[in-house]
Amino acid sequence: MQAFTTLTGTAIPFGMKNVDTDVIIPAQYLKTVSRTGLGKVAFPAIRKDPDNVFDTPRNKGAPILIAGDNFGCGSSREHAPWALADMGIRAVIAPSFADIFSGNAFKNGILLVQLPQEAVDRLMAVAAEHPLTVDLESQTVTTPFQDRFSFEVDPFRKHCLLNGLDEIGLTLAMDGAIASHEARLGRDRPWI
């Protein structure tokens, strides 16, 4: 997983509320176990409109998405964060997120930033023409106009994101302790 420290870039001012995982990536695209290629088919109902916010030249490949309340609700599908990541999204800013989506996004290296609606509204207005900066170390989102919004993040998730550690990376970081335990176990309990 790629480490996340500070991200400055274009933010897609999406803003839609109650976007469920079926809107992000419909069921017909869930047959794959590959994480690549899903970005092209993400948000298909919205992208039918040629003037949609995702496919404008300015927003194509943007690393930040600003969404509405209850983003990622609906069924549990890891394909939703896979699709976002394949689009280039590294951070999503919204007033709230569905719990299961939140866990899946974290496990796939996407930072979810929960801010009050007023802050999200301000960021939506700024994002129409200017980049935003999401700083995980200081836990802030800033604009070129000196707006500064602080957000909370679970300390364990922050550690993992800052260091690029997914579940496999966390296990590999314990390689020495695991090898030591296995050696001790082989010595003390050879029958196991």
Side-chain angles (χ1 to χ4, degrees):
M1 183 165 76
Q2 182 181 359
F4 190 116
T5 53
T6 302
L7 174 65
T8 299
T10 301
I12 301 169
F14 181 45
M16 186 179 282
K17 295 180 179 184
N18 300 311
V19 172
D20 67 32
T21 53
D22 197 50
V23 170
I24 299 169
I25 190 81
Q28 68 259 32
Y29 301 109
L30 303 183
K31 297 176 182 134
T32 183
V33 293
S34 173
R35 297 176 187 219
T36 59
L38 293 175
K40 291 182 236 164
V41 294
F43 299 100
I46 293 164
R47 290 170 107 173
K48 282 182 185 176
D49 177 357
D51 297 324
N52 75 80
V53 71
F54 296 105
D55 294 324
T56 64
R58 182 179 188 283
N59 294 338
K60 210 161 188 63
I64 304 166
L65 175 66
I66 306 172
D69 199 33
N70 198 27
F71 186 78
C73 58
S75 64
S76 169
R77 55 181 70 166
E78 198 166 24
H79 291 70
W82 288 359
L84 292 173
D86 196 52
M87 289 175 69
I89 303 293
R90 304 242 12 249
V92 181
I93 301 168
S96 68
F97 299 93
D99 286 341
I100 294 172
F101 174 80
S102 178
N104 286 338
F106 159 68
K107 289 178 182 181
N108 286 282
I110 298 174
L111 174 63
L112 300 185
V113 176
Q114 188 170 335
L115 291 173
Q117 186 64 55
E118 303 79 44
V120 171
D121 292 342
R122 172 63 179 157
L123 293 172
M124 290 269 297
V126 171
E129 295 183 22
H130 303 280
L132 303 178
T133 298
V134 178
D135 187 330
L136 179 55
E137 287 192 272
S138 68
Q139 296 178 211
T140 57
V141 179
T142 56
T143 72
F145 304 104
Q146 306 308 313
D147 296 296
R148 184 179 180 89
F149 303 104
S150 296
F151 62 90
E152 295 297 316
V153 62
D154 175 80
F156 173 73
R157 288 184 176 188
K158 180 178 181 178
H159 167 78
C160 291
L161 290 169
L162 285 171
N163 293 289
L165 297 171
D166 58 11
E167 291 168 333
I168 294 170
L170 283 167
T171 302
L172 291 174
M174 301 295 295
D175 184 44
I178 293 168
S180 175
H181 171 75
E182 291 293 328
R184 186 175 62 252
L185 191 62
R187 185 183 64 247
D188 296 346
R189 297 180 185 178
W191 61 90
I192 292 183

